Amino acid sequence: MTQSTDFDALRRAMQENYEQPEGPARNARAEVLLAEAEKLNIPLAVIEALGHQLKVYNYSSEKDRMFVPFARLLRMWDERPEDFDEYETHSLHWVFKWVSSGMVGQPHVPLASIEKWLGEMEHRYRLAGHSERAVRSTEFTVARSIGDLARAERAYTAWLAADRDSMADCHACELHDQGWWRAEQGAEAEALELWRPVLEGEYTCAHEPHAVLASSLVPLLRLGRLDEARAHHLRGFRLVRPMESMRGAYADHVEFCALTGNEARALELLAERPAYFTDAGEPRSRMDFLAVVALLTDRLTSLGLGAQTVPGPAGRTWTAAELAAHARVEALSLAGRFDERNGTAYVSGRVRERMDQPPLVERLPLGIRATPAVAASVRPAPAPSADATADAEPDLAALLAEARRLSAALHPDSVAAWAAVAEAAGDEELAPRDLAELTDHEAMGLGPEGVELFARAAELYEAAGDPGEALAARARGAYVLALSGRTREALAAVSEPYERVLALFAEGGTGVRQAASVLVGRARILLQRVHEAAEVNGAGDDSKVLAAAETAARELLALAGPEAGNDVLVASRAAEAQATLGELAAHAGDAERAAELLTRASEAFVAAGLPWFAVEYEARLTGIARHLGDAEAAERAARAALEHGADFLEPAGHAQLHLQLAEILGATGRFGPAADHALEASHWADEGGEGPTLGAWARHQLGGFLLRQGRWAEAAEVLESALPELSAQTHGDGAIVQTHWWLGDCLTELGEHREAAEHWLQAAEIARHWPEQRDHAMLAHLAAEALGHAELLPQAEQAYARAGDLWRSLGNVHGLIRSLRARAWLAVREEGSGLDTARELMDEAVRACEDEVSEDDETREQLVAELAQTHRQFGDLVARSAPDDADDEAIQALFEEALAHVTLAVAGFLSLGEDALHSRTGAQLAAGWLEADLEHPDRAAARAREVLVAYAEGDGSDETVVARRGEAERLLRATESNA
């Protein structure tokens, strides 16, 4: 091989190495490549290898190693500047910024040396004719880092005033630093406005918006813009995760989690990067990382979790308390080294402020599943109030009064209030009535385990002279029997209280309250029998059971309804009778009647001041309204249930209602609000211990809603979090396939084609076993496209062939044709016989179009369009396949072959009329350029004029029209110059 060939190979190797992930392996390879460059005896090869080494060091955890190759480069420049080409001359001056600002992050480098290098940079930039913008920007970085804030402000002003030139940092990086400075001065809103063009993608680079997203997290939290902060974390962490050099930005994400109640998530982040605890190549970012580790672990310790094992430096096991102490000492030690070098206490002060921050948000749900290493519900116990500490012994009389008040209001807290009475009473003997109520409520708190206590309560009511309430307690005991599946026994147990209370009521021995309480118990038992019958026989199949329950509910309504306005408990019994009738109507298949009755019941509970009882029925009404297709009523009911149950629902209940509302909103295209409720659902499911079940489904839904808003990175994070917990047994394999499918869509949008293909292939493998194979075919096709984009050509060919076979078996000629065309484009990229294979595949696609017969006009037109598109692509493929070293005769033959196909495409599109106008003009222009290349200027001009005529009436608002006109005019000018 010649030296030139060796140099070309070296350059390719350096480019390939630069595209590898940041880290020691890439750095080591750069060192090997430098050694190879030195063997070539080509100065420029050594210069390029040194520049490559400097770049990979700068973007790694070994940042301190970049100074040696830079010093060598600078010496080579001073000795023989003619050895540097234009690019390397520019690069040498460019990296001056890295070296000058990088020194300030190394506490062993004296301040005088940093100032010397800054002056050297200014001198050399002036000699090279560069603006002072980059110099002042670097001076600003140095000044702000050492705490000379007055000088930093002066440098900042001079930086912005200087002209931008080729040495200035990219717009994205400049805006990051400018916004950071404003945020440091407390102008968070101004900082975010400066960052806006970077956040919106107007300005980007290899490390932006990564750094801006991280820097924006705390300012957003301070401004209360929590939704944006959450989105920036999900989007930004995904970018930072693979970038070893971005330890400082990584620390910002750990800090965000520690400040928002997401301690478990923060621990997961620490576990992902164990080397960050000890990598010493950039002390400044290590100090920042250790500071947020101290913040996090101090937070855990304050929550009573100091003994919990947490990720830390390798070599030993760490508890949160131990790591908190270690990280604080290490961070302050590093800060002290900087301050000693700088002659100030600025860095230590900043580090202490960061470590000692209080949480900014008690709990900010992220929508992703964190390993439950931290109990999210554990929070410091509130300090006892002055009143509580003043009276060591609770006032039993006051507790009794409060318990009675809550019981009279049928409040959900009444059971807890009576428990407080029991605790306060201790061994003190209570009055028979008090003891009866206490025992009754204790039984209520035990659910199915309270049967015996209900019997005891009945005895106590009898002893207290209240036979009606004794019968009511017995009815309650019978109902809890039914809840444990013993409905026949329960019905027998309630028969005597039922008959006795009606007789007692007729004699005036008890009132409506007690009678209604017995009747409601019996109605509940009969409704429970209906539910059991439905499980065994299907809804509505046991007409006798259904009729008995309906009779009981109507009897209850007849008794309680007339008196509902006079007593809260009676009103609740009347409302429950309506609700029971609604449930029975639903079981009988009369959804409209069920909705009407449940609506009445819910409204009655709310009107009686008992909104917590309405929640169950509003949730039921939500499902019925969705079944009826009444999205507005479903939404109204779901929102009412959330409002009325806000203070009383268990976490799982919150999760279910939020998920219902999310699905309703999503079904009507309101994906933003739907995502908000799916996020809440995932949070509450985790809080209720149902993360792997209900929580996984909520995350699945949330990911889909985010995807539909084009929030690809956030959706990907959420879906990846959901995927491990989705199971075919719990959620169905359709949910797993859909999650993989959505992830493929997200990753494609993010440019992660290989990963997208993996998800689509995994989904295809599941769908392969389904009776209907269309999804299998579509997923194989999508995977093939992604594999092609990832330059995995043999795998792409295999996947397209699989998709084509599936499309053929399904009789889907369009899918088959597109897979054949895609395979042809893959084939033409191969050396040797690639074009011949491509021709065969395109010919097969043409035959598939021509052989398909349809009597339907619309289908026939679709086939004509497919055939025209196939000829168009056939022509493009042949024309582009001409080798660079082909002779004129070979090129002419290929162009003539291509022109024949494009001409057929024009004719096909022409037959479709105005619907295919843009496709036709595109093909006409392609044919025109081929005519021009074949030295047929008149024919080429004619093609161009046809396009101009086709768009003669068009306005300038259609981008395609503007583009086609412009291209046609260029083609005309080209033919005139060649005429």
Side-chain angles (χ1 to χ4, degrees):
M1 293 177 68
T2 66
Q3 275 194 330
S4 176
T5 304
D6 288 340
F7 194 6
D8 289 341
L10 177 70
R11 282 173 163 164
R12 287 195 297 273
M14 288 191 292
Q15 181 59 38
E16 289 170 3
N17 189 49
Y18 194 69
E19 292 169 359
Q20 296 303 306
E22 296 176 348
R26 187 171 76 158
N27 295 354
R29 177 62 176 155
E31 292 160 14
V32 171
L33 293 174
L34 174 59
E36 293 179 7
E38 289 169 336
K39 296 174 185 176
L40 295 179
N41 198 29
I42 301 174
L44 185 58
V46 176
I47 291 167
E48 291 187 12
L50 284 167
H52 171 66
Q53 190 179 67
L54 194 155
K55 288 174 187 174
V56 299
Y57 283 155
N58 184 60
Y59 294 118
S60 78
S61 59
E62 299 176 306
K63 203 180 187 81
D64 56 334
R65 300 180 66 182
M66 71 175 175
F67 303 116
V68 173
F70 177 74
R72 185 176 172 188
L73 273 172
L74 196 59
R75 186 171 64 251
M76 292 176 72
W77 167 263
D78 288 339
E79 292 172 356
R80 288 180 56 85
E82 64 271 17
D83 289 340
F84 288 70
D85 61 14
E86 182 179 355
Y87 178 80
E88 292 303 326
T89 300
H90 178 276
S91 295
L92 176 69
H93 287 80
W94 181 270
V95 298
F96 241 113
K97 299 180 294 184
W98 298 354
V99 173
S100 299
S101 59
M103 285 179 176
V104 81
Q106 305 287 337
H108 69 277
V109 179
L111 205 54
S113 296
I114 297 171
E115 294 291 354
K116 173 182 172 296
W117 276 102
L118 189 58
E120 184 75 11
M121 175 184 175
E122 183 170 9
H123 172 68
R124 289 178 181 265
Y125 271 41
R126 189 179 300 115
L127 287 178
H130 296 306
S131 162
E132 67 170 14
R133 188 178 183 92
V135 176
R136 298 285 78 84
S137 171
T138 305
E139 181 188 8
F140 162 75
T141 300
V142 171
R144 82 180 192 196
S145 299
I146 66 176
D148 189 345
L149 304 186
R151 182 185 179 190
E153 185 61 41
R154 291 194 302 273
Y156 179 83
T157 302
W159 164 27
L160 298 191
D163 293 334
R164 281 188 59 83
D165 66 352
S166 62
M167 281 298 114
D169 282 341
C170 75
H171 283 289
C173 289
E174 284 204 333
L175 288 173
H176 174 228
D177 286 347
Q178 291 165 20
W180 184 93
W181 182 238
R182 301 305 298 138
E184 283 297 294
Q185 296 171 317
E188 285 95 352
E190 186 179 334
L192 288 160
E193 183 58 28
L194 282 166
W195 287 330
R196 183 183 52 77
V198 183
L199 295 170
E200 293 179 357
E202 182 179 345
Y203 299 126
T204 61
C205 70
H207 290 77
E208 293 295 355
H210 317 41
V212 162
L213 285 163
S215 295
S216 71
L217 294 172
V218 171
L220 285 168
L221 291 175
R222 287 179 177 152
L223 291 171
R225 292 160 61 172
L226 304 185
D227 290 341
E228 292 174 74
R230 177 194 303 111
H232 286 200
H233 169 63
L234 294 178
R235 178 183 163 201
F237 184 70
R238 187 175 192 85
L239 294 172
V240 167
R241 179 185 274 136
M243 311 287 278
E244 188 208 36
S245 65
M246 301 197 73
R247 178 164 52 185
Y250 200 99
D252 291 339
H253 287 279
V254 176
E255 177 183 41
F256 165 83
C257 293
L259 295 176
T260 57
N262 288 288
E263 298 89 359
R265 166 76 167 172
L267 290 176
E268 287 189 348
L269 268 55
L270 295 191
E272 283 191 32
R273 285 291 190 182
Y276 275 176
F277 288 97
T278 52
D279 283 344
E282 191 185 17
R284 183 60 182 256
S285 68
R286 181 168 178 255
M287 177 186 71
D288 290 337
F289 181 76
L290 289 169
V292 300
V293 171
L295 169 71
L296 168 64
T297 46
D298 276 340
R299 173 72 175 149
L300 292 173
T301 303
S302 73
L303 294 174
L305 300 169
Q308 177 174 306
T309 301
V310 296
R316 58 162 289 187
T317 300
W318 295 88
T319 66
E322 291 168 343
L323 185 58
H326 169 80
R328 181 172 289 269
V329 168
E330 288 291 303
L332 289 173
S333 175
L334 284 166
R337 290 173 58 197
F338 281 108
D339 284 341
E340 183 180 0
R341 190 270 309 273
N342 300 339
T344 69
Y346 175 74
V347 177
S348 294
R350 293 295 311 282
V351 167
R352 284 193 175 90
E353 286 178 11
R354 192 169 197 182
M355 291 191 294
D356 297 337
Q357 294 175 92
L360 295 175
V361 182
E362 184 66 18
R363 181 71 168 161
L364 178 62
L366 301 179
I368 52 178
R369 179 78 166 140
T371 303
V374 176
S377 59
V378 175
R379 290 291 180 263
S385 67
D387 292 340
T389 55
D391 299 314
E393 293 294 328
D395 186 330
L396 181 59
L399 290 173
L400 271 168
E402 176 65 6
R404 284 217 173 84
R405 184 187 70 80
L406 292 172
S407 296
L410 303 181
H411 197 280
D413 290 341
S414 60
V415 171
W418 281 103
V421 169
E423 183 178 357
D427 297 331
E428 182 177 341
E429 185 173 346
L430 296 175
R433 176 70 192 200
D434 294 341
L435 185 58
E437 290 188 66
L438 187 151
T439 306
D440 200 3
H441 282 83
E442 184 180 353
M444 293 178 196
L446 293 173
E449 306 300 320
V451 175
E452 293 183 5
L453 273 181
F454 276 123
R456 174 63 180 150
E459 293 172 0
L460 291 167
Y461 281 125
E462 287 278 6
D466 192 343
E469 201 60 46
L471 293 170
R474 290 178 61 190
R476 286 190 282 275
Y479 176 54
V480 297
L481 280 174
L483 290 178
S484 60
R486 299 153 65 184
T487 51
R488 290 186 181 278
E489 187 179 342
L491 196 57
V494 83
S495 295
E496 184 189 354
Y498 167 68
E499 292 171 0
R500 285 185 59 192
V501 83
L502 289 179
L504 195 62
F505 178 68
E507 297 167 359
T510 192
V512 175
R513 288 171 59 94
Q514 289 83 4
S517 293
V518 175
L519 265 61
V520 80
R522 182 169 179 270
R524 288 171 179 170
I525 294 167
L526 288 167
L527 180 60
Q528 187 68 18
R529 290 198 69 193
V530 171
H531 289 314
E532 290 179 358
E535 289 177 7
V536 175
N537 306 317
D541 282 359
D542 197 327
S543 57
K544 290 183 179 179
V545 173
L546 199 66
E550 183 174 347
T551 300
R554 292 192 182 283
E555 184 181 18
L556 172 61
L557 185 60
L559 174 70
E563 300 294 323
N566 302 321
D567 186 283
V568 170
L569 186 142
V570 175
S572 77
R573 303 311 186 206
E576 188 169 343
Q578 294 271 21
T580 301
L581 290 170
E583 292 278 7
L584 295 171
H587 275 282
D590 190 349
E592 292 184 357
R593 177 64 175 160
E596 179 186 345
L597 288 165
L598 289 171
T599 299
R600 282 188 207 166
S602 300
E603 290 173 349
F605 278 124
V606 174
L610 306 169
W612 45 85
F613 287 139
V615 175
E616 176 186 351
Y617 305 112
E618 287 163 339
R620 183 83 171 96
L621 180 58
T622 301
I624 293 171
R626 291 180 70 185
H627 172 73
L628 291 170
D630 190 343
E632 185 177 340
E635 180 182 350
R636 187 166 55 247
R639 290 190 185 280
L642 278 170
E643 177 188 350
H644 296 146
D647 297 329
F648 311 107
L649 284 170
E650 293 294 319
H654 278 288
Q656 289 163 348
L657 286 173
H658 277 294
L659 190 53
Q660 273 192 311
L661 185 52
E663 291 171 350
I664 293 165
L665 294 166
T668 54
R670 288 171 285 172
F671 301 123
D676 293 341
H677 285 284
L679 175 68
E680 287 294 318
S682 69
H683 163 65
W684 284 110
D686 290 346
E687 291 285 301
E690 296 194 26
T693 51
L694 186 60
W697 179 253
R699 277 181 273 279
H700 163 80
Q701 295 282 53
L702 173 59
F705 296 140
L706 291 169
L707 176 143
R708 290 179 178 91
Q709 296 174 75
R711 295 160 67 177
W712 313 111
E714 295 169 66
E717 283 289 306
V718 170
L719 293 168
E720 286 171 350
S721 174
L723 194 55
E725 291 180 330
L726 290 171
S727 70
Q729 294 75 19
T730 302
H731 307 99
D733 56 9
I736 298 173
V737 167
Q738 183 65 79
T739 302
H740 280 297
W741 197 323
W742 281 338
L743 269 169
D745 292 339
C746 292
L747 295 172
T748 295
E749 293 291 339
L750 295 170
E752 300 175 33
H753 299 293
R754 182 172 191 151
E755 294 78 6
E758 289 173 0
H759 282 288
W760 280 328
L761 287 171
Q762 289 179 62
E765 184 58 27
I766 299 171
R768 182 170 68 88
H769 303 287
W770 292 356
E772 168 55 53
Q773 288 290 285
R774 188 181 185 283
D775 284 342
H776 182 196
M778 180 62 74
L779 286 161
H781 200 116
L782 288 169
E785 289 181 359
L787 289 165
H789 286 304
E791 298 297 320
L792 299 170
L793 304 189
Q795 296 92 325
E797 156 63 26
Q798 186 178 9
Y800 273 126
R802 174 184 177 184
D805 290 342
L806 289 165
W807 291 129
R808 185 181 282 107
S809 70
L810 290 167
N812 188 322
V813 68
H814 299 284
L816 171 61
I817 291 163
R818 288 165 191 175
S819 67
L820 289 167
R821 291 198 307 242
R823 291 174 65 194
W825 281 105
L826 288 176
V828 82
R829 293 160 71 176
E830 298 177 2
E831 295 182 5
S833 61
L835 180 56
D836 292 337
T837 302
R839 284 193 181 102
E840 291 173 5
L841 290 164
M842 280 294 188
D843 281 333
E844 187 179 348
V846 169
R847 287 195 301 274
C849 289
E850 293 174 339
D851 292 347
E852 186 72 12
V853 177
S854 175
E855 297 180 359
D856 177 71
D857 289 343
E858 183 178 350
T859 304
R860 192 181 308 111
E861 286 185 359
Q862 290 173 351
L863 287 168
V864 170
E866 202 74 79
L867 178 59
Q869 183 61 34
T870 302
H871 279 300
R872 169 66 198 274
Q873 289 196 32
F874 203 160
D876 288 347
L877 181 149
V878 171
R880 295 180 192 181
S881 67
D884 294 337
D885 57 354
D887 57 36
D888 291 345
E889 185 176 344
I891 292 174
Q892 182 174 351
L894 288 171
F895 282 5
E896 286 175 351
E897 180 185 352
L899 179 60
H901 285 292
V902 178
T903 300
L904 288 171
V906 171
F909 290 132
L910 185 62
S911 71
L912 296 172
E914 290 300 306
D915 289 342
L917 175 61
H918 291 337
S919 297
R920 185 188 88 217
T921 55
Q924 285 173 319
L925 288 169
W929 288 113
L930 286 167
E931 298 275 21
D933 288 334
L934 290 167
E935 298 182 358
H936 301 146
D938 292 343
R939 297 178 193 174
R943 303 273 192 188
R945 292 191 187 97
E946 288 173 356
V947 172
L948 291 173
V949 169
Y951 292 125
E953 302 300 324
D955 58 27
S957 61
D958 188 319
E959 292 182 2
T960 303
V961 172
V962 173
R964 292 281 195 274
R965 281 175 174 168
E967 188 177 351
E969 288 166 356
R970 289 195 300 275
L971 179 55
L972 272 178
R973 289 195 296 272
T975 58
E976 290 168 359
S977 64
N978 293 330

